[in-house]
Amino acid sequence: LERFGRSTEARSLLAGRDGLSPENANPTEAWQQMRAATLMLDWEMAAEYARAYQKLRPEKMQGLLIEWLASEYLGNQARAGELREESLSMTTSSNRYQKAASLIKTGTEPTVRDLTDLKDGNIRFDTGLLFALLNWEKDPSSSLRRAQLSSWVSESEYAIFNKLRSIELRKQGGEETPAGSQG
């Protein structure tokens, strides 16, 4: 929003309503704050709102995945491991994530086509992030690059993946791929 000249709207979204907290957020507010905190790389706030969102929308995996991502960045490997198992369990037991479950069973990663065939943008984002997190230890920049391809439907989702990927590349001493590039 800031980039599109809508800085007032961006600030109000980040601030939320007066008195907003993870404990009193409605599902939309928890989702907005979880995503905003992730984009701002505020991992503690992202984890708090991710837990709140997961309680409010237990049928969706996004809260688990964002908290898992935050746990990785905060260095909480025990919690990251728990969230990994919860996410995999939800993937294989839910009709919502059939495509991801079939890919996990065959041991293959989603292709761009697999992800774009998922018409629901939330499922596409969840699937892309799930596989990015599963490949985190192998090659963070590569798995995040693949995951960002799944998020073409939303500028904020692309921005999350692009920002995380650039951080990982800087950690590794590599160069950033310009936004919009498939590098």
Side-chain angles (χ1 to χ4, degrees):
L1 289 171
E2 185 85 39
R3 194 169 57 207
F4 293 115
R6 295 164 58 190
S7 58
T8 303
E9 186 178 351
R11 280 192 289 278
S12 69
L13 272 175
L14 288 172
R17 67 174 159 77
D18 287 339
L20 180 64
S21 72
E23 293 77 31
N24 68 12
N26 66 39
T28 301
E29 292 168 329
W31 181 85
Q32 287 173 336
Q33 294 302 310
M34 172 183 72
R35 301 291 281 270
T38 303
L39 189 55
M40 301 301 292
L41 308 180
D42 183 340
W43 300 118
E44 290 178 14
M45 181 185 279
E48 289 176 24
Y49 278 102
R51 281 189 292 277
Y53 184 71
Q54 196 61 40
K55 285 179 189 171
L56 295 166
R57 293 289 188 252
E59 73 281 2
K60 296 182 178 182
M61 189 167 41
Q62 202 161 119
L64 290 174
L65 294 171
I66 295 294
E67 187 183 357
W68 178 7
L69 178 65
S71 297
E72 290 285 355
Y73 272 100
L74 291 170
N76 186 345
Q77 297 308 310
R79 183 65 180 146
E82 292 169 12
L83 292 162
R84 179 185 195 277
E85 293 310 311
E86 286 181 54
S87 299
L88 288 173
S89 176
M90 178 178 259
T91 301
T92 56
S93 65
S94 170
N95 286 338
R96 182 176 176 84
Y97 300 105
Q98 287 177 340
K99 182 64 175 178
S102 69
L103 292 167
I104 288 171
K105 286 177 189 172
T106 61
T108 58
E109 291 185 42
T111 64
V112 173
R113 178 62 182 249
D114 290 331
L115 293 168
T116 55
D117 282 350
L118 296 170
K119 301 304 178 207
D120 183 310
N122 289 317
I123 295 172
R124 184 171 36 257
F125 178 82
D126 293 353
T127 303
L129 185 54
L130 172 67
F131 280 90
L133 287 164
L134 288 172
N135 292 318
W136 192 266
E137 295 80 22
K138 295 178 197 170
D139 184 1
S141 63
S142 177
S143 62
L144 286 167
R145 181 176 60 244
R146 284 190 297 275
Q148 88 183 24
L149 295 174
S150 70
S151 59
W152 59 269
V153 73
S154 168
E155 181 67 25
S156 68
E157 292 169 352
Y158 178 84
I160 289 170
F161 286 126
N162 201 42
K163 189 170 228 179
L164 296 174
R165 181 165 176 264
S166 68
I167 288 168
E168 289 305 321
L169 284 170
R170 272 185 259 136
K171 282 182 187 176
Q172 297 170 11
E175 293 184 23
E176 293 183 40
T177 303
S181 169
Q182 295 183 9

